[in-house]
Amino acid sequence: MLDELLKEIEELKECKKKYEYALKDKQKMSDKLYEYMMKEYENTSYEDRCDLHIKNMCKDCRYRDYCELNKDFPQDIWMPIPSDKAWIPGHKNCGKFEWS
């Protein structure tokens, strides 16, 4: 019985090690994606970024008509936001966004 417990502990240690490696890889992928998104952001005009924001975010916002009519977006609209939790980076929005 003791041998079985020791074997199970070793298996759990191996699983933990694999999990930690996977987390590091996931963060590296998130960082690379952020770099790519920043290059794309830098090569996109303000007007195009506003259009991207309207197309991808405004459809889910309760203030949709407000942004489409006023288009008073900040200069850094749609700028990628890095993730320190190994997630897909988000984008800076208009500051008024609320889910509908």
Side-chain angles (χ1 to χ4, degrees):
M1 183 165 151
L2 183 60
D3 289 339
E4 291 175 17
L5 286 174
L6 291 173
K7 184 179 177 182
E8 189 172 333
I9 289 172
E10 286 303 313
E11 288 175 6
L12 287 172
K13 285 181 182 178
E14 187 63 30
C15 286
K16 181 181 177 187
K17 185 188 285 185
K18 289 178 181 178
Y19 174 75
E20 289 170 348
Y21 285 137
L23 282 180
K24 287 179 185 177
D25 289 345
K26 191 175 171 186
Q27 185 62 50
K28 285 180 187 176
M29 290 299 293
S30 177
D31 294 343
K32 286 290 183 188
L33 184 56
Y34 172 75
E35 288 176 27
Y36 170 78
M37 291 167 74
M38 276 304 295
K39 287 178 185 175
E40 188 176 273
Y41 168 82
E42 291 165 354
N43 292 321
T44 306
S45 70
Y46 174 75
E47 292 78 20
D48 290 341
R49 288 185 280 128
C50 289
D51 291 342
L52 279 169
H53 176 75
I54 290 171
K55 178 182 172 188
N56 293 302
M57 295 296 288
C58 291
K59 64 183 164 78
D60 298 320
C61 181
R62 79 174 46 175
Y63 301 115
R64 181 178 184 188
D65 293 334
Y66 175 80
C67 286
E68 285 185 1
L69 295 174
N70 295 310
K71 291 189 180 180
D72 59 348
F73 298 121
Q75 279 300 119
D76 60 351
I77 189 77
W78 212 244
M79 177 184 246
I81 302 169
S83 172
D84 59 352
K85 295 183 181 0
W87 293 340
I88 294 173
H91 290 98
K92 178 152 170 102
N93 64 31
C94 63
K96 298 173 181 64
F97 180 83
E98 286 187 30
W99 292 103
S100 57

